[in-house]
Amino acid sequence: MLRKLLFRQAPRAYRFLSTQSTLPLLSKCSVFSYCSSSRPEIPHSNSIEHLEDQPTNTISIDRSGLYSPPEHSHEPSSDSELVKHLKGIIKFRGGPISVAEYMEEVLTNPKSGFYINRDVFGAEGDFITSPEVSQMFGEMVGVWAMCLWEQMGQPKRVNLVELGPGRGTLMADLLRGASKFKNFTESLHIHMVECSPALQKLQHQSLKCMDEENTSEGVDKRSLSTLAGTPVSWHATLEQVPFGLPTIIIAHEFYDALPVHQFQRGSRGWCEKMIDVTEDSSFHFVLSPQPTPATLYLMKRCKWAVPKEVEKLNQIEVCPKAMDLTSTLAKRIGVDGGGALIIDYGLNGLVSDSLQAIRKHKFVNILDDPGSADLSAYVDFASIKHSAEEASDDVSVHGPITQSQFLGSLGINFRVEALLQNCTDEQAEALRTGYWRLVGDGEAPFWEGPEEQVPIGMGTRYMAMAIVNKKQGIPIPFQ
């Protein structure tokens, strides 16, 4: 079956895309000491200088700089609705917000969030993801899902869930590639977990869906994908996906958009980095004068790390939502069976200071014009592993391995050879370029086009990890 899938011809136009494209507990942990409630001394930080890009080289927690417009001012404000909203939160609280709160508002604010009301993917968007590079990526993920389904005993009904499906390109390519294997596709109910109405519409189009008639009020939107005759439902959260069936979950470039809390080591210990408003009404970083709720997650993360790993860092990022999401995935898989595939860029260990903003394929200051750029951070794969193992004794965690290893072991080399046998010269060039971007490392050695468009390989920068029910054995290709 695997060889049939890899060598099946797929008449599809290929895309060439530009690369521009609480306190008693705290006192028991000897590794932590905390800033007192008095104003702390803020140590010099190159990272903060770089991200903040402001004239001053220090960070202050002076509350006098909180956003406060002059009384009776009738001057029009040039601030966007999201900026006004963020400043309103800070003013209402009388103090700064965490980096995670800022990140969540910037990305998913219901009115002005970066992901909510527009298409941000592809060459014309702000960044390019692997499914947009080549159809082969979604096809290989489909091979993985089918192999897991076989290891599960080929159940008659399966939930296939994608978290943050973007345009729906990955799922569309997966269904096209698997459409000849009727036993597999007929077992599937697709569940797209997406909070953006604009992206839901794009996904509906990508999957060539026909809406069901007479859908009851209060029931999640449900359609039928004509690509493989598969039912498709949309949900705002994973919790809305029905329980009780074996579940295969795909999370490609989802974890990197989950909000992170940043901590910095100061003279008084670990303090959380926060975002405040200066006297001139711009955003800047400050440090919390006392422990914050996220400190408990910092403690948990450092408990999982080797002491030497913590000692060498002056900054640490933790992602509570990633830990909690992984626990939810692991518990569901432990009870219902199935598995989860996580592919993202990150590290197999503590992450220091990785938060970045991308606008129109270029890095920008994360505090500049909130809502106009994508924010993302490295995924802490070690944290995912520990979170899953602590949540359920019935799951096993495998990886991470590089994206190159993952795709190569699933047969992408055979697939590209099969596709090259029946395509135009232009399509062949796009295939080779896409292949390099998916599995290569650094700049492509074969490139003869414009220097600014040289393909950059993601093969070693992206990593793959699987969480599966132990009864199913070790998933392909993690043996």
Side-chain angles (χ1 to χ4, degrees), residues 107 160 216 232:
L107 295 181
L160 178 57
S216 303
V232 185

Side-chain angles (χ1 to χ4, degrees), residues 15-17 130 132-137 403 407 412 416 427-440 446-447 455-458:
R15 294 180 291 273
F16 179 78
L17 303 178
S130 295
E132 304 296 333
V133 168
S134 172
Q135 70 180 69
M136 293 184 291
F137 185 83
Q403 179 168 291
L407 297 176
I412 193 172
V416 71
Q427 289 173 339
E429 182 182 16
L431 268 174
R432 285 190 290 268
T433 299
Y435 174 79
W436 179 264
R437 285 180 178 157
L438 293 178
V439 304
F446 60 80
W447 185 248
I456 307 298
M458 301 183 286

Side-chain angles (χ1 to χ4, degrees), residues 149-201:
W149 173 73
E150 290 194 336
Q151 286 181 282
M152 294 158 62
Q154 300 187 10
K156 297 297 183 183
R157 295 177 63 204
V158 176
N159 286 330
L160 178 57
V161 181
E162 185 175 2
L163 305 179
R167 286 176 169 171
T169 307
L170 186 156
M171 188 61 71
D173 289 337
L174 184 158
L175 291 177
R176 285 192 191 95
S179 61
K180 299 292 185 184
F181 302 91
K182 296 298 184 183
N183 288 344
F184 173 65
T185 57
E186 288 174 0
S187 73
L188 299 178
H189 185 148
I190 308 295
H191 297 274
M192 308 288 266
V193 178
E194 177 59 68
C195 63
S196 166
L199 290 178
Q200 284 187 10
K201 289 180 181 178

Side-chain angles (χ1 to χ4, degrees), residues 34-168:
Y34 293 92
C35 298
S36 66
S37 58
S38 60
R39 183 179 303 166
E41 256 181 80
I42 310 300
H44 176 80
S45 167
N46 290 332
S47 171
I48 293 175
E49 282 181 12
H50 170 69
L51 291 175
E52 193 173 14
D53 196 23
Q54 305 224 357
T56 179
N57 289 333
T58 60
I59 299 174
S60 168
I61 63 159
D62 184 356
R63 298 289 177 87
S64 66
L66 290 174
Y67 176 64
S68 182
E71 291 186 17
H72 309 297
S73 171
H74 298 287
E75 291 295 321
S77 171
S78 60
D79 288 345
S80 68
E81 288 302 314
L82 182 58
V83 169
K84 291 177 183 177
H85 176 66
L86 289 166
K87 290 178 178 178
I89 295 174
I90 293 170
K91 181 181 180 182
F92 177 77
R93 290 189 185 175
I97 59 175
S98 69
V99 171
E101 290 174 286
Y102 175 85
M103 188 174 176
E104 189 162 20
E105 288 288 345
V106 166
L107 295 181
T108 59
N109 179 276
K111 290 185 177 180
S112 311
F114 179 75
Y115 290 133
I116 298 302
N117 298 312
R118 55 182 154 176
D119 177 10
V120 300
F121 301 94
E124 300 304 318
D126 294 271
F127 53 89
I128 298 173
T129 61
S130 295
E132 304 296 333
V133 168
S134 172
Q135 70 180 69
M136 293 184 291
F137 185 83
E139 290 173 346
M140 293 302 104
V141 173
V143 171
W144 181 85
M146 274 196 288
C147 289
L148 182 63
W149 173 73
E150 290 194 336
Q151 286 181 282
M152 294 158 62
Q154 300 187 10
K156 297 297 183 183
R157 295 177 63 204
V158 176
N159 286 330
L160 178 57
V161 181
E162 185 175 2
L163 305 179
R167 286 176 169 171

Side-chain angles (χ1 to χ4, degrees), residues 30-36 40-43 263-272 287-288 298 314:
S30 60
V31 72
F32 297 97
S33 60
Y34 293 92
C35 298
S36 66
E41 256 181 80
I42 310 300
F263 289 85
Q264 182 170 312
R265 193 196 298 272
S267 58
R268 293 173 176 84
W270 289 104
C271 301
E272 184 168 3
L287 295 185
S288 170
L298 176 66
N314 289 320

